[in-house]
Amino acid sequence: MLRVYLDWNIFSYLKQRKESEELYKSIYAIIKRNNDKLLFPYSSAHLQDLKRGFSKSEKSKELTYHDLEFLHETSQDHCLYENQKEKKLIPIIKNPTEYFNDINTGNPDEEINLDSLFSSDSKEMTDLWEKYVGLLKSIPTGIDFDGMDTSPIKYGDFRSIFPNTRIENNFYSLMKDAMKIMSQPEKHSNIYKSVRNSSIKDMKIDTNPENWGNPFDYLDKVLAKTKLNQTFRDMVENNLKTTHKDKKLSRFDVFTKYYISLDTFGFHPDKALSNLIDDATHSYYGAFCDIFVTNDDNTYHKAKAVYEYLNIETKVCKADEFPSVFYSINQLGENNVSESISSRIVKMIRHSIILMNSVDDELNQATVHKIHHPLVDYFDRMQISYLNDRTVLFFYKKIRNYSNFMFWTELKTIINKIVFDFGIDDNLKGDFSLQD
């Protein structure tokens, strides 16, 4: 199966226009006709998009729940879930409405109160939190506010975002200020844009990113000649090491840092901080899929740039490109729909491109073939190993993105297609079941 991640703007357009515009009629028809070939997972980023407008009126709440129902229909509850504790992404099955209700507690515009965040009826938990707070308050941030106060007037807005840290210059106060920004990004968009635009002007960065070529190479050259005196790549990596110290870096940390840093230096910049955070998160989740579809031009360019730099081969496309991208991978109609798996394998042995002719892990002679159109809509590699007494065929998919997992649905679909063609196995097992 192909895993396709749709940005929220695509979900929204699809819901609204699937019966009125030819493009979205076509995309919706592809989704309905190919549920054994395509999987459309959602993520918490979609829910955050919905959460912002949820409490504005009763009408908006009603519309939000209609959107969640459409999200359920399209995703079939397949969810990409970032486990913050384990610092990794895992696949889960969860109804979008239930997940939304779980995270939609309190007023989305209300500031997070760090002082009461970990208050508990348990004296042991409260004592533990107070000890941790004491530790954070004992660690200075290293921020030079005196130097900041003498910086050019155009950076004046930036000085206002650390009210707590100015009073008590320690990590606890810095966390309070950071959580205020994260909980209310809309209120800090002007500050972010002001600092970004002033920095771009001071560093003489070309404001038209179409002239840059590769954004990483361009920024490497520009930043190395400024007071930063380091390349863009080195700046991001050093910043990651400084901000995370001895903590394990997750893929989320690295990906979103590069994405947001590109924006900070003017590569297809977003107009609002909240949009930037949402789009960085959507692009991260898209990196676990075969195709990422977005109509946002800024997201499109930043996602492509970060994917290329991190060797993530997820295809990034816009809505009007999706049908051709899908059909180019699947080549629907090219082969007879009744053609058996065995017949396809024979053709692949005779006509496919041989990528490697060497030995396998057990030093048996082996050849690896490229499968141009995925076998059972999944496998794109065939390895033939020649043992002393027999020849063995292995099929696998070369993973070209962040994904190192499968949804049960993907596994079930593959197994059932094989069973449909070959019948039950030697253990009298047929269609896939969770009990097996």
Side-chain angles (χ1 to χ4, degrees):
M1 299 183 79
L2 282 177
R3 206 180 291 164
V4 183
Y5 188 88
L6 304 179
D7 198 353
W8 178 248
N9 54 52
I10 304 297
F11 268 119
S12 181
Y13 292 154
L14 197 57
K15 176 177 175 289
Q16 297 169 16
R17 307 175 187 181
K18 65 181 184 296
E19 296 177 356
S20 59
E21 290 187 22
E22 287 303 319
L23 172 60
Y24 292 98
K25 282 183 182 179
S26 173
I27 295 174
Y28 193 63
I30 289 173
I31 293 172
K32 289 299 183 182
R33 285 200 304 262
N34 297 282
N35 57 9
D36 63 335
K37 297 177 182 290
L38 293 169
L39 198 67
F40 295 88
Y42 77 98
S43 73
S44 60
H46 293 111
L47 306 185
Q48 289 297 335
D49 279 321
L50 290 170
K51 187 177 176 183
R52 285 203 173 88
F54 178 72
S55 61
K56 292 179 179 178
S57 68
E58 289 303 314
K59 181 65 176 177
S60 70
K61 290 181 180 181
E62 180 183 348
L63 292 173
T64 296
Y65 281 115
H66 285 313
D67 287 338
L68 288 165
E69 184 58 32
F70 185 72
L71 199 60
H72 157 71
E73 175 194 331
T74 308
S75 70
Q76 292 297 297
D77 296 343
H78 294 88
C79 178
L80 299 172
Y81 173 74
E82 181 71 12
N83 187 317
Q84 298 293 341
K85 185 177 180 180
E86 298 293 330
K87 284 187 171 289
K88 66 178 182 180
L89 188 142
I90 58 175
I92 64 171
I93 301 295
K94 191 173 181 70
N95 182 281
T97 301
E98 292 179 8
Y99 194 180
F100 181 80
N101 289 334
D102 287 346
I103 67 172
N104 190 40
T105 55
N107 186 339
D109 295 323
E110 183 180 352
E111 291 183 23
I112 298 173
N113 185 345
L114 190 61
D115 292 321
S116 61
L117 185 62
F118 291 95
S119 60
S120 171
D121 294 333
S122 166
K123 185 179 184 303
E124 290 78 8
M125 287 298 295
T126 302
D127 289 346
L128 184 63
W129 172 239
E130 288 176 351
K131 289 177 182 177
Y132 183 56
V133 168
L135 176 63
L136 291 175
K137 286 183 176 180
S138 70
I139 305 173
T141 67
I143 297 175
D144 180 10
F145 285 105
D146 291 335
M148 188 181 293
D149 289 338
T150 59
S151 62
I153 188 114
K154 59 189 173 184
Y155 293 109
D157 288 341
F158 184 65
R159 302 171 197 153
S160 66
I161 66 175
F162 298 108
N164 293 292
T165 314
R166 276 181 170 278
I167 298 170
E168 295 182 45
N169 198 336
N170 57 54
F171 263 91
Y172 182 70
S173 297
L174 184 61
M175 282 179 63
K176 290 173 71 172
D177 290 331
M179 293 185 79
K180 181 179 179 181
I181 295 171
M182 288 187 292
S183 63
Q184 297 181 307
E186 295 88 350
K187 294 184 179 180
H188 296 86
S189 286
N190 289 335
I191 297 174
Y192 171 74
K193 287 191 294 182
S194 173
V195 174
R196 178 183 66 192
N197 295 341
S198 297
S199 299
I200 290 169
K201 185 176 180 180
D202 287 349
M203 295 181 187
K204 297 180 172 57
I205 295 173
D206 190 338
T207 55
N208 183 5
E210 299 295 337
N211 299 330
W212 291 16
N214 184 303
F216 285 82
D217 293 341
Y218 173 79
L219 289 174
D220 274 350
K221 293 176 183 178
V222 171
L223 298 192
K225 296 176 182 178
T226 67
K227 292 180 180 179
L228 291 173
N229 195 30
Q230 58 183 330
T231 66
F232 174 73
R233 293 171 172 88
D234 287 342
M235 184 211 68
V236 174
E237 291 297 327
N238 290 336
N239 190 265
L240 282 167
K241 291 175 184 175
T242 301
T243 54
H244 290 78
K245 297 188 182 297
D246 298 329
K247 296 178 182 178
K248 178 184 175 182
L249 280 173
S250 68
R251 283 174 164 174
F252 179 84
D253 298 326
V254 174
F255 185 95
T256 54
K257 185 66 177 179
Y258 272 109
Y259 186 102
I260 292 173
S261 297
L262 283 176
D263 187 277
T264 302
F265 291 101
F267 185 67
H268 294 279
D270 275 292
K271 294 180 179 179
L273 186 57
S274 57
N275 290 347
L276 174 61
I277 294 170
D278 289 345
D279 295 341
T281 310
H282 278 304
S283 299
Y284 166 72
Y285 286 119
F288 290 84
C289 300
D290 300 290
I291 304 172
F292 173 40
V293 190
T294 179
N295 269 2
D296 185 279
D297 197 53
N298 296 325
T299 307
Y300 176 86
H301 287 289
K302 285 197 282 281
K304 287 191 76 169
V306 179
Y307 286 171
E308 181 179 350
Y309 177 65
L310 297 177
N311 296 316
I312 298 166
E313 295 187 24
T314 297
K315 295 181 184 293
V316 186
C317 66
K318 295 186 178 180
D320 60 353
E321 300 169 320
F322 174 68
S324 61
V325 169
F326 171 68
Y327 287 125
S328 69
I329 295 172
N330 282 273
Q331 289 286 313
L332 298 184
E334 181 188 75
N335 299 310
N336 189 326
V337 292
S338 62
E339 184 177 29
S340 67
I341 294 175
S342 300
S343 297
R344 279 211 63 194
I345 291 173
V346 170
K347 285 185 178 180
M348 288 187 295
I349 293 172
R350 290 175 178 172
H351 305 297
S352 62
I353 297 172
I354 296 177
L355 299 175
M356 186 188 76
N357 193 346
S358 184
V359 294
D360 62 19
D361 294 341
E362 297 179 358
L363 302 181
N364 299 301
Q365 181 186 351
T367 58
V368 175
H369 296 246
K370 180 179 180 180
I371 303 175
H372 188 53
H373 307 304
L375 186 67
V376 294
D377 301 304
Y378 186 79
F379 302 114
D380 62 5
R381 294 290 186 271
M382 173 177 67
Q383 176 179 311
I384 306 176
S385 291
Y386 301 94
L387 282 60
N388 291 332
D389 57 343
R390 64 192 184 280
T391 299
V392 180
L393 276 64
F394 301 92
F395 298 92
Y396 61 93
K397 179 177 182 177
K398 183 182 178 183
I399 303 298
R400 303 176 180 87
N401 52 45
Y402 270 173
S403 179
N404 57 358
F405 59 80
M406 293 180 72
F407 282 99
W408 281 115
T409 303
E410 293 170 313
L411 191 59
K412 174 183 177 180
T413 303
I414 293 167
I415 292 174
N416 287 351
K417 287 179 180 179
I418 294 172
V419 170
F420 179 82
D421 208 69
F422 288 106
I424 61 176
D425 64 16
D426 292 343
N427 297 311
L428 302 181
K429 298 290 186 181
D431 286 348
F432 174 91
S433 71
L434 288 174
Q435 286 73 30
D436 295 336

